[in-house]
Amino acid sequence: MKVLKDILYKVAIDSVTGLTDIPVNKIEFDSRKILNGDVFVAIHGTVSNGHDYIDKVIQQGATAIVCQILPLVLAPGVTFIKVQDTNAALACMAANFYDSPSQKLKLVGITGTNGKTTIASLLYQLFINAGYKVGLLSTVKIMVNEKEYKATHTTPDSLTINHYLNEMIESGVEYCFMEVSSHGIHQKRTEGLHFTGGVFTNLSHDHLDYHPTFAEYRDVKKAFFDSLPKTGFALTNADDKNGSVMLQNTVANKKTYALKTYADYKAQILENQLSGLLLKINGHEVWVKLIGDFNAYNLLAIYGTAIELGLDSLEVLRLLSNLESVSGRFQYIVSNSNVTAIVDYAHTPDALENVLKTINTIRTQNEQLITVVGCGGDRDKAKRPVMADIAASLSDKAIFTSDNPRSEDPLEIIFEMEKGVAPHHFKKTISITDRMQAIKTACQLAQPNDILLVAGKGHETYQEVNGVRHDFDDMKIVKELLEQLGK
């Protein structure tokens, strides 16, 4: 049993009313989970404010309340801790509650607009193949060595992070690779964690529904590197104009990777085919199964991270050559009728452009490139016309459809996408609201040797419409439709 004063260690406290040498069952920020002897942390979330539930959790047995605004009447027998920021307090308390598990393994955070999932997942795969016990905290899944859990957020809440890190310690895990989102940094979910290293991928248009300006989005990412310790490393993409920004104030060991400019870890693409890439990394050639310039950057970040963590460079090259693509990231099949279907998570303008340019680089130009793409509802609206323009410009035919409409009207989302299409490309576009029908139409249009890209959802196995998640797996659907048409 933990004691309240111990889990408050290093929390910035304004005032305390009541006893702090009381036992604590567990910490909760979800009022529905409060039991007798729990500490409730009142978080001001995007949907609800935890301060509205203080009376309720006290009735449920909460013995301590951590809040930013004290109630007008303080319940007797309950300890009230007033703080400036309950998100920061929760992160610090969570680390204390689980005895700071991030300090007992090597935790590496990967941040940036695109590439986080691929880099984190492939680092996990590489270190597992190297014989280590490894953890993964990603958009796709959470792994505690070989045990898999379902992921709900790119960066989970701080209680969940520390819970799984603690489980990793108990399982003997030595390394953990974690996606670090701008939401996670801004909401202080990563505070109180000890990172051995940080990796920056790139920065492009995304999440401007959450961050008011691109500058804030960039600076939130930078804050992660500012917080890295002297003993850690900061590895950034020198080809991205924001790569140097990330290193401006960090005290960590600064390292860079690049394809185009001078860097500590440098690569050259010698061959780029549908079957893989031939790379020259720091003077050594290696054949890998992944495709495209964007994956060359991802692999270079993985190579640099592994070297910084102490692995032998030649051994890392051998391990790179055996890596398999991540679910929903340029995942492709070839049908019996010789149609190549690619499913990719590309849901930002930059990611979509990268995937389409990669396909156009490796295709013969004797086939059609058909792209199915949508944009999410209740998210950054500014990228909708941009993504539609990219799809129409770089494809022979573009089908605009629903992604996860959420609470928005799918027709309205598609209408906003259509506004971005140049008049001379408009004949190449079709708008079909129903995603299943859109994919079916694309499969029917595809002739032998054609290439079909289904973008936006990648690994997701659901479609969210009006708050309800329906089963929907792009790859499974494409496979089934192409098999049926092949027969």
Side-chain angles (χ1 to χ4, degrees):
M1 186 71 75
K2 303 288 181 179
V3 177
L4 180 59
K5 65 180 179 182
D6 294 333
I7 64 172
L8 290 173
Y9 177 62
K10 288 189 176 179
V11 174
I13 297 172
D14 286 349
S15 66
V16 176
T17 304
L19 303 173
T20 58
D21 58 349
I22 56 174
V24 170
N25 178 36
K26 67 182 190 306
I27 307 166
E28 288 289 356
F29 63 91
D30 185 337
S31 62
R32 295 165 296 184
K33 297 179 181 178
I34 287 290
L35 299 172
N36 195 48
D38 290 350
V39 175
F40 177 66
V41 182
I43 301 293
H44 198 152
T46 54
V47 178
S48 62
N49 185 350
H51 290 78
D52 296 335
Y53 300 93
I54 289 176
D55 288 343
K56 178 190 170 190
V57 297
I58 291 171
Q59 290 172 10
Q60 291 170 217
T63 52
I65 306 294
V66 179
C67 55
Q68 291 176 198
I69 303 169
L70 289 170
L72 293 175
V73 179
L74 302 185
V78 177
T79 302
F80 288 87
I81 299 103
K82 183 178 179 297
V83 298
Q84 286 293 315
D85 187 334
T86 47
N87 282 298
L90 178 66
C92 194
M93 292 167 69
N96 291 335
F97 187 83
Y98 288 104
D99 298 321
S100 300
S102 63
Q103 294 186 9
K104 301 171 187 175
L105 46 65
K106 292 182 178 178
L107 177 64
V108 177
I110 300 97
T111 194
T113 305
N114 302 310
K116 297 187 297 294
T117 301
T118 296
I119 292 171
S121 300
L122 292 182
L123 276 166
Y124 167 83
Q125 192 183 130
L126 186 147
F127 275 74
I128 284 282
N129 292 343
Y132 295 98
K133 289 189 174 183
V134 193
L136 173 68
L137 293 165
S138 81
T139 303
V140 178
K141 59 188 174 183
I142 293 168
M143 298 295 297
V144 178
N145 200 32
E146 309 235 337
K147 192 172 181 181
E148 182 175 332
Y149 297 92
K150 189 176 180 181
T152 56
H153 294 80
T154 300
T155 305
D157 64 81
S158 49
L159 275 174
T160 302
I161 292 170
N162 281 279
H163 166 80
Y164 282 117
L165 288 175
N166 185 60
E167 189 174 329
M168 289 175 197
I169 297 303
E170 291 174 352
S171 301
V173 164
E174 299 172 71
Y175 299 90
C176 177
F177 302 103
M178 173 181 173
E179 288 187 54
V180 178
S181 68
S182 61
H183 290 67
I185 301 166
H186 189 255
Q187 294 170 11
K188 311 292 176 68
R189 297 180 212 163
T190 55
E191 284 210 9
L193 298 180
H194 179 271
F195 285 92
T196 300
V199 180
F200 170 73
T201 62
N202 48 65
L203 210 63
S204 64
H205 189 118
D206 198 20
H207 298 309
L208 297 189
D209 55 322
Y210 181 85
H211 301 286
T213 63
F214 186 84
E216 186 197 276
Y217 177 48
R218 177 201 64 210
D219 291 345
V220 166
K221 298 281 190 188
K222 179 181 175 296
F224 170 67
F225 291 90
D226 292 349
S227 67
L228 291 174
K230 282 184 180 180
T231 53
F233 67 87
L235 176 63
T236 72
N237 180 356
D239 286 343
D240 187 287
K241 63 183 179 182
N242 294 289
S244 59
V245 175
M246 300 300 141
L247 299 180
Q248 283 176 354
N249 301 109
T250 187
V251 296
N253 188 20
K254 300 175 183 180
K255 295 288 181 176
T256 56
Y257 65 94
L259 294 179
K260 300 173 184 174
T261 57
Y262 174 80
D264 298 293
Y265 300 105
K266 186 79 191 293
Q268 181 184 358
I269 298 174
L270 303 179
E271 290 182 32
N272 187 3
Q273 303 172 12
L274 196 56
S275 55
L277 287 166
L278 180 62
L279 299 174
K280 185 180 246 186
I281 300 179
N282 281 16
H284 297 279
E285 289 188 14
V286 59
W287 177 264
V288 294
K289 300 172 187 175
L290 280 72
I291 304 158
D293 292 15
F294 60 95
N295 271 323
Y297 280 106
N298 293 337
L299 289 160
L300 201 47
I302 291 162
Y303 176 82
T305 300
I307 302 298
E308 292 302 316
L309 289 173
L311 271 62
D312 175 74
S313 59
L314 293 179
E315 174 65 1
V316 174
L317 290 173
R318 183 189 71 79
L319 293 164
L320 283 179
S321 67
N322 292 322
L323 293 177
E324 301 286 346
S325 62
V326 178
S327 174
R329 267 66 178 178
F330 214 96
Q331 194 176 2
Y332 74 95
I333 58 165
V334 180
S335 73
N336 291 334
S337 56
N338 210 32
V339 173
T340 299
I342 300 163
V343 170
D344 194 272
Y345 188 54
H347 63 288
T348 66
D350 188 54
L352 183 63
E353 186 174 10
N354 283 337
V355 171
L356 285 169
K357 282 186 174 179
T358 293
I359 296 169
N360 281 314
T361 299
I362 59 182
R363 63 185 285 206
T364 65
Q365 304 299 326
N366 294 319
E367 67 285 280
Q368 281 193 108
L369 169 54
I370 304 167
T371 299
V372 178
V373 65
C375 291
D378 304 330
R379 297 294 186 269
D380 186 356
K381 293 184 178 183
K383 67 184 181 185
R384 293 173 183 174
V386 181
M387 288 184 67
D389 179 48
I390 290 166
S393 302
L394 299 177
S395 310
D396 297 300
K397 192 164 288 296
I399 301 175
F400 302 147
T401 189
S402 300
D403 189 291
N404 290 316
R406 299 183 178 90
S407 69
E408 283 196 70
D409 181 352
L411 279 171
E412 185 61 31
I413 296 172
I414 292 171
F415 177 68
E416 289 179 6
M417 291 178 69
E418 290 171 343
K419 289 178 183 176
V421 180
H424 60 284
H425 288 313
F426 210 79
K427 285 185 178 179
K428 296 196 292 182
T429 69
I430 306 171
S431 295
I432 303 172
T433 309
D434 185 278
R435 190 174 181 88
M436 175 74 82
Q437 190 60 48
I439 296 172
K440 187 175 182 179
T441 301
C443 291
Q444 289 170 335
L445 289 171
Q447 300 297 311
N449 301 315
D450 284 352
I451 299 172
L452 167 60
L453 171 66
V454 181
K457 289 175 58 58
H459 65 281
E460 293 178 352
T461 56
Y462 64 86
Q463 185 178 36
E464 188 175 333
V465 183
N466 292 323
V468 179
R469 289 190 172 187
H470 307 271
D471 290 343
F472 202 102
D473 185 329
D474 280 356
M475 179 54 80
K476 184 180 176 183
I477 288 166
V478 169
K479 277 183 181 177
E480 289 175 355
L481 287 170
L482 287 176
E483 282 175 12
Q484 289 169 17
L485 291 168
K487 291 174 184 176

